């Protein structure tokens, strides 16, 4: 903790001096300061208020400036300011509550910027302010407070995991950065941690198939991580916190401008080297981790504000879990059991708008991922390279908003297992060219229909067609109804997606040459805004969905407890449910965000003349989330209470297993107190307030922990993090220009 407080002291001495004219002030609404509000001069964004509602624009020359303020839920405000040379002006803005619907800009649903409530596809948007209510070291953990989304830990030893959307497992979720599909397969399991939080502008989530635009893997949903634009990013940002378990997370961001170029740098460093065994099974409760991630983004100001940006990221992580006596000298050996994973990954992505009258954008990404792991005596060495190119044409006609595109994706994959579909290290090369078209048709001011169709050719599986249909009915300024229908497809690579295939002593059996999965989805969505004159509007969103799967890939843990048997389901699978989200702000600035999801994810297997219906393993039948913020303005404090709750899940068991077949109802709850002082925030609190861990009341958590190299050893009985209550303390700072 000493280093943390020293860092606070250094940050407080950080100052930026104006070199010429300056305009600064605060933005409020109903006497409440508004954080992260966009400030534009004409159409160009020149500043964003900090976490306390203050902004600053300096290095201004003499002249007239037209400042415009936009904030979600409030009416726009503008003011013309005349600035003399070397003047410093204080200009405050007080916004009025908007009488119409919320107006976030989103891109994930239609691959183009549209007003959120004008989009035919429902998109959920989460800002950095939402995730600050429960600070975490990575995106994976941050998503635990999003309704319908659950980070699933897949192994009690190395703690790797994936992200479930509406009960569907991680491989059905596509994770993109700025729309580029660079977080997939190996990186979904190992590389999702370490995306620098300092450079995240927002996270957009689409629940349901998005394969007609994004292709394979977007079967269950899409998580699009949008990085900050250079115009809105602070010159310097820092977020450092430590926990009583010994975890240290550092997140730094820098911006440098030079002429028409702007550079953003993000750095994330996480260190946890404190083996703890509170459940006395002689295995680490939480994986030891040491990782660093560096993100660089460059943008160039072009004529007519044409887009050009280039970004890259390097990620390295060293993690291990296992018996408390394990060290690196025992890696890959049979003296002490350990799971040691070295991950090295770099990524490149960019966007270039062609210098044409028509809006045509060329996008590309490339990633190289190398994995060197040892699961006990089982080595897993893999290399994956993915190159992606896409050209889109955005064309607006009378009553039509067209998007046409062509894409080419190449995947190179090789490892030392049968995942490469050949002996030894035979490489697997997959080409996936595709074309797509989307038309958003405005029938009248109240009705829009979106039609989409994508054709892909997979070099291994042939032709793949994915249609899409959406209808939006804008009943009035406060109520919107949406219907979405579409299909999705997914080509499966078991070992890059199912960590259970490598850990423990179960034998992996693949019965047939696995066929691609295909899904058919129907989604209904209703959004209503309750406008109130005295304070911010309340927003209620209701959804219902039904998804039907063909050729579902299932992992059978139960036919033979010493095996994991993979095969296409001889029958079908379904995912159906309903959900509700409520966003409510009271007159005293108390804010509540809460949600509830009820779902059924199950398989129907045709055995002889019988149909056997089973609930999917490790899938909750219901879940709830909440985030309550109470400001204490007199003392410049704010209090956050966040949490989630999950219904009982079906769990994988061994032969004669005394552990329960279902998990209990469980909940993770957190509290935080934040002190705000202009650019500086000090925060601290407790995580896992109820001190819940999955081992409570069990004879053991890991099967066969006393004999980890023999049959019967299995760490897959896991549904929640095995980390108890802990305190945390941190400091956060944003310095605008």
């Amino acid at each position: 903790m000493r280093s943390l407080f020293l860092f606070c002291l250094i940050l407080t001495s950080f100052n930026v001096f104006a070199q010429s004219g300056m305009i600064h002030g605060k933005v409020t609404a109903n006497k409440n300061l508004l954080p992260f509000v966009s400030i534009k001069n004409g159409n160009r964004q020149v500043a964003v208020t900090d976490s306390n509602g203050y902004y600053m624009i300096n290095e201004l020359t003499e002249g007239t400036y037209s400042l415009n303020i936009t904030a979600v839920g409030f009416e726009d405000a503008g003011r013309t300011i005349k600035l003399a040379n070397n003047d410093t002006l204080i200009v405050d803005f007080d916004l009025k509550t908007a009488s119409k619907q919320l107006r976030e800009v989103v891109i994930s649903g239609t691959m183009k910027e549209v007003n959120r409530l004008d989009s035919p596809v429902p998109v959920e948007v989460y800002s950095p302010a939402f995730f600050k209510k429960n600070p975490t070291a990575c995106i994976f953990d941050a998503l635990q407070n999003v309704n319908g989304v659950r980070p699933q830990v897949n192994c009690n030893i190395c703690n790797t995991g994936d992200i479930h959307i509406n009960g569907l497992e991680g491989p059905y979720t596509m994770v993109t950065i700025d729309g580029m599909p660079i977080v997939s397969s190996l990186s979904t399991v190992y590389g999702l941690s370490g995306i620098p939080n300092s450079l995240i502008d927002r996270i957009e989530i689409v629940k349901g198939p998005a394969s007609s635009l994004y292709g394979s893997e977007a079967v269950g949903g899409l998580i699009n991580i949008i990085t900050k634009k250079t115009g809105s990013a602070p010159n310097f940002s820092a977020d450092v916190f430590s926990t009583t378990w010994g975890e240290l997370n550092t997140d730094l961001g820098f911006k440098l401008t030079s002429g028409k170029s702007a550079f953003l740098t993000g750095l994330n460093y996480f260190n946890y080297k404190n083996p703890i065994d509170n459940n006395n099974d002689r295995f680490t409760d939480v994986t030891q981790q040491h990782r660093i991630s560096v993100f660089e983004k460059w943008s160039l100001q072009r004529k007519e504000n044409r887009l050009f940006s280039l970004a890259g990221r390097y990620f390295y992580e060293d993690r291990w879990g296992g018996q408390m006596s394990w060290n690196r000298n025992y890696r890959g050996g049979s003296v002490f059991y350990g799971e040691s994973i070295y991950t090295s990954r770099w990524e490149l992505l960019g966007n270039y708008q062609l210098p044409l009258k028509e809006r045509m954008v060329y996008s590309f990404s490339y990633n190289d991922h190398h994995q060197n792991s040892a699961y006990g005596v089982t080595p897993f060495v893999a290399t994956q390279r993915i190159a992606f190119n896409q050209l889109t044409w955005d064309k607006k006609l009378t009553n039509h908003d067209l998007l046409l595109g062509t894409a080419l994706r190449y995947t190179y994959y090789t490892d030392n297992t049968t995942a490469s579909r050949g002996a030894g290290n035979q490489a697997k090369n997959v080409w996936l060219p595709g074309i797509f078209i989307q038309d958003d048709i405005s029938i009248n001011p109240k009705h829009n229909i979106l039609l989409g169709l994508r054709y892909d050719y997979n070099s291994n599986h042939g032709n793949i067609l994915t249609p899409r249909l959406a209808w939006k009915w804008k009943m009035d300024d406060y109520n919107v109804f949406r219907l979405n229908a579409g299909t999705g497809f997914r080509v499966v690579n078991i070992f890059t997606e199912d960590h259970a295939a490598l850990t423990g002593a179960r034998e992996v059996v693949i019965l047939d040459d696995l066929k691609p999965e295909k899904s058919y989805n129907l989604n209904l969505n209703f959004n209503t805004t309750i406008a109130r004159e005295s304070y911010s509007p309340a927003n209620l969103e209701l959804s219902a969905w039904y998804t039907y799967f063909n050729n579902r890939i299932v992992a059978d843990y139960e036919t033979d407890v010493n095996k994991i048997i993979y095969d296409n389901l001889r029958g079908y699978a379904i995912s159906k449910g309903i959900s509700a989200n409520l966003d409510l702000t009271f007159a005293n600035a108390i804010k509540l965000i809460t949600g509830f999801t009820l779902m059924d994810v199950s398989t129907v297997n045709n055995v002889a003349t019988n149909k056997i219906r089973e609930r999917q393993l490790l899938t909750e039948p219901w879940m709830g989330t909440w985030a309550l913020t109470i400001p204490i303005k007199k003392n410049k404090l704010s209090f956050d209470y966040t949490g989630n709750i999950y219904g009982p899940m079906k769990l994988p068991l061994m032969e004669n297993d005394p552990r329960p077949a279902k998990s209990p109802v469980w909940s993770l709850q957190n509290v935080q107190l934040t002190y705000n002082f202009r650019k500086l925030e000090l925060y601290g609190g407790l995580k896992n307030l109820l001190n819940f861990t999955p081992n409570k009341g069990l004879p053991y958590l890991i099967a066969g922990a006393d004999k980890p190299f023999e049959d019967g050893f299995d760490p897959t009985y896991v549904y929640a993090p095995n980390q108890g209550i802990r305190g945390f303390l941190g400091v956060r700072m944003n310095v605008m220009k």
Side-chain angles (χ1 to χ4, degrees):
M1 289 290 187
R2 225 177 255 179
S3 61
L4 181 61
F5 288 113
L6 179 61
F7 187 76
C8 295
L9 185 61
I10 294 173
L11 288 181
T12 55
S13 64
F14 189 95
N15 288 291
V16 176
F17 296 96
Q19 298 177 359
S20 52
M22 176 191 297
I23 300 173
H24 67 97
K26 63 180 182 290
V27 178
T28 60
N30 304 312
K31 300 181 180 180
N32 299 316
L33 292 165
L34 295 180
F36 310 115
V37 172
S38 173
I39 301 169
K40 295 182 179 180
N41 177 32
N43 293 323
R44 183 188 174 196
Q45 185 165 280
V46 292
V48 175
T49 60
D50 61 20
S51 56
N52 299 300
Y54 290 87
Y55 75 93
M56 180 186 297
I57 315 169
N58 59 10
E59 298 183 6
L60 296 176
T61 58
E62 182 177 1
T64 301
Y65 295 87
S66 299
L67 298 187
N68 299 304
I69 313 296
T70 59
V72 174
F74 299 95
E75 294 181 358
D76 293 352
R79 190 176 300 179
T80 300
I81 294 126
K82 292 185 178 180
L83 185 71
N85 192 30
N86 295 324
D87 267 2
T88 297
L89 300 180
I90 300 175
V91 180
D92 296 332
F93 292 88
D94 186 50
L95 305 186
K96 295 181 179 180
T97 300
S99 59
K100 297 186 178 181
Q101 297 176 357
L102 307 183
R103 296 184 293 169
E104 300 100 322
V105 172
V106 297
I107 65 171
S108 300
T110 57
M111 207 177 280
K112 58 173 68 180
E113 287 195 353
V114 295
N115 185 310
R116 179 189 172 194
L117 293 182
D118 285 341
S119 170
V121 180
V123 181
E124 297 180 13
V125 183
Y126 297 92
S127 68
F130 175 81
F131 296 112
K132 283 166 56 177
K133 299 174 188 295
N134 177 32
T136 60
C138 63
I139 296 298
F140 178 81
D141 293 328
L143 293 171
Q144 65 183 264
N145 286 332
V146 177
N147 182 35
V149 178
R150 183 172 66 85
Q152 166 66 38
V153 178
N154 291 328
C155 175
N156 275 312
I157 297 177
C158 70
N159 294 158
T160 53
D162 54 37
I163 297 173
H164 292 200
I165 293 183
N166 286 345
L168 293 177
E169 297 169 326
Y172 297 90
T173 300
M174 172 174 275
V175 181
T176 62
I177 298 179
D178 290 335
M180 293 292 97
I182 63 177
V183 184
S184 57
S185 295
L186 279 172
S187 62
T188 300
V189 181
Y190 301 104
L192 191 55
S193 303
I195 297 175
N197 293 335
S198 58
L199 291 186
I200 295 176
D201 178 71
R202 65 188 187 274
I203 295 179
E204 299 181 1
I205 299 177
V206 178
K207 297 174 181 175
S211 292
S212 63
L213 279 185
Y214 294 92
S216 181
E217 298 174 23
V219 177
L222 172 74
I223 298 175
N224 193 6
I225 301 169
I226 310 294
T227 60
K228 291 180 179 177
K229 295 181 179 179
T230 53
S232 60
N235 278 42
F236 174 76
S237 65
D239 191 349
V240 182
F241 73 85
S242 182
T243 73
T244 54
W245 276 51
E247 300 156 299
L248 174 65
N249 184 73
T250 301
D251 205 73
L252 303 176
F254 307 88
K255 181 174 75 171
L256 175 66
T257 56
S258 177
K260 295 183 178 181
S261 296
F263 302 87
L264 294 181
T265 301
L267 172 67
N268 175 259
Y269 175 76
F270 181 79
N271 194 324
Y272 174 57
K273 293 184 177 180
N274 182 30
I276 293 176
D277 180 23
N278 285 339
N279 60 6
N280 299 316
D281 61 0
R282 293 180 291 181
F283 276 76
T284 52
D285 290 348
V286 178
T287 302
Q288 310 301 289
Q289 300 176 54
H290 187 205
R291 67 171 178 262
I292 186 168
S293 178
V294 181
F295 187 94
E296 184 72 32
K297 184 176 183 179
W298 170 47
S299 64
L300 179 66
Q301 186 177 354
R302 300 171 61 206
K303 290 182 179 179
E304 299 181 8
N305 292 320
R306 289 193 178 101
L307 175 67
F308 178 74
S309 67
L310 186 66
R313 180 172 79 118
Y314 176 74
F315 170 86
Y316 177 79
E317 183 181 65
D318 175 2
R319 68 163 62 198
W320 75 268
Q323 291 180 293
M324 294 290 287
S325 302
W326 187 92
N327 62 51
R328 300 195 187 284
N329 296 325
Y330 301 110
R331 191 177 196 265
S334 59
V335 178
F336 295 106
Y337 186 90
E339 295 185 0
S340 173
I341 303 168
Y342 302 149
T343 301
S344 178
R345 176 180 176 85
W346 65 273
E347 305 161 346
L348 181 69
L349 65 152
N351 294 279
Y352 176 75
Q353 184 177 347
L354 275 60
L356 303 171
K357 290 183 179 180
E358 301 290 342
R359 181 175 173 82
M360 301 185 71
V361 178
Y362 171 66
S363 304
F364 65 90
S365 67
Y366 178 82
N367 66 74
D368 189 297
H369 187 113
H370 183 69
Q371 198 75 36
N372 185 331
S373 309
Y375 301 90
V377 296
T378 303
F380 176 64
V381 180
T383 298
Q384 177 181 269
R385 302 184 182 103
I386 298 177
F388 178 80
N389 293 268
Q390 180 173 274
L391 179 65
T392 58
W393 177 27
D394 187 353
K395 180 67 175 178
K396 290 180 172 59
L397 302 171
T398 304
N399 298 332
H400 291 265
D401 192 349
L402 286 166
L403 180 72
L404 297 93
T406 180
L408 174 63
R409 180 170 174 171
Y410 168 73
T411 301
Y412 168 91
Y413 177 80
T414 183
D415 65 22
N416 61 328
T417 74
T418 55
S420 293
R421 297 178 185 262
N425 281 318
Q426 179 181 345
K428 179 184 176 184
N429 299 275
V430 178
W431 291 91
L432 189 68
I435 57 174
F436 58 89
I437 183 171
Q438 174 183 273
D439 187 9
D440 187 353
I441 307 168
S442 179
I443 299 174
N444 57 48
K446 290 184 178 293
H447 295 275
N448 282 66
I449 291 180
L450 183 143
L451 302 174
L453 182 66
R454 183 185 183 104
Y455 167 77
D456 292 276
Y457 179 81
N458 185 287
S459 57
N460 287 340
H461 300 283
N463 303 316
I464 301 171
L465 199 65
T466 49
R468 181 190 204 185
L469 167 68
W471 168 48
K472 178 180 70 72
W473 174 24
K474 186 177 180 181
M475 302 176 183
D476 52 38
D477 288 339
Y478 305 98
N479 300 283
V480 176
F481 175 81
R482 299 179 178 91
L483 181 148
N484 279 253
T487 65
F489 76 96
R490 187 173 76 95
V491 178
V492 179
N493 189 334
I494 290 173
F495 289 88
T496 63
E497 298 175 344
D498 194 342
H499 177 265
L502 293 168
T503 190
R506 292 188 188 233
E507 178 188 356
V508 175
V509 178
I510 302 175
L511 292 184
D512 294 305
D513 187 18
L514 299 177
K515 300 176 183 178
E517 298 182 355
K518 192 165 186 178
S519 69
Y520 306 85
N521 174 268
L522 180 68
N523 185 295
L524 302 176
N525 176 269
F526 175 69
N527 190 291
T528 182
T529 301
I530 306 170
R532 297 163 295 176
E533 294 296 331
S534 57
Y535 48 101
S536 300
N539 192 64
L540 175 65
E541 186 169 11
L542 304 173
S543 295
W545 76 92
Y546 182 91
T547 306
Y548 178 95
F549 291 89
N550 281 336
N551 294 330
R552 178 75 181 270
I553 307 294
V554 292
D556 181 359
Y557 291 80
E558 299 174 324
T559 299
D560 187 333
V561 296
N562 294 313
K563 296 179 180 180
I564 306 176
I565 303 172
Y566 291 93
D567 194 9
N568 286 109
L569 181 67
R570 287 167 174 77
Y572 60 91
I574 59 171
S575 169
K576 58 184 179 181
I578 58 174
S579 69
N581 290 307
L582 175 65
D583 188 334
L584 181 62
T585 302
F586 298 93
N588 52 8
I590 294 176
K591 186 174 182 64
L592 174 65
I593 302 173
T594 186
F596 183 81
T597 298
L598 179 67
M599 57 190 157
D600 174 19
V601 183
S602 56
T603 60
V604 178
N605 203 357
N606 295 328
V607 179
T609 58
N610 298 321
K611 292 185 176 181
I612 302 175
R613 184 185 181 99
E614 293 182 310
R615 214 174 94 193
Q616 180 176 285
L617 287 172
L618 298 171
T619 302
E620 65 279 14
W622 54 267
M623 68 174 295
T625 59
W626 64 88
L628 175 67
T629 300
I630 303 175
I632 310 172
K633 301 176 189 176
K634 183 178 180 181
N635 298 313
K636 299 181 179 179
L637 298 172
S638 63
F639 173 79
D640 293 296
Y641 171 46
T642 59
N644 48 53
I645 186 169
Y646 303 101
M649 308 175 193
K650 185 180 178 182
L651 303 174
L653 297 176
M654 303 294 289
E655 190 173 6
N656 299 319
D657 201 324
R659 298 173 296 181
K662 291 184 179 180
S663 67
V665 174
W666 59 283
S667 175
L668 298 178
Q669 301 181 26
N670 320 284
V671 293
Q672 175 184 244
L673 192 64
T674 303
Y675 174 72
N676 298 276
F677 182 70
R678 297 295 296 250
K679 299 181 178 72
L680 187 68
E681 291 182 357
L682 296 175
Y683 61 90
L686 293 174
K687 289 182 176 290
N688 196 358
L689 189 63
L690 303 180
N691 196 28
F692 173 81
T693 54
N695 66 285
K696 291 185 180 298
L698 298 181
Y700 52 82
L701 184 60
I702 300 175
D706 55 333
K707 297 178 181 179
F709 296 99
E710 299 181 11
D711 288 345
F713 173 65
D714 183 32
T716 62
Y717 187 93
V718 57
Y719 56 91
N722 193 30
Q723 189 175 22
I725 189 171
R726 58 208 181 276
F728 65 93
L729 182 63
V731 60
R732 188 181 294 119
M733 188 179 192
N734 284 290
V735 178
M736 305 300 293
K737 190 172 181 179

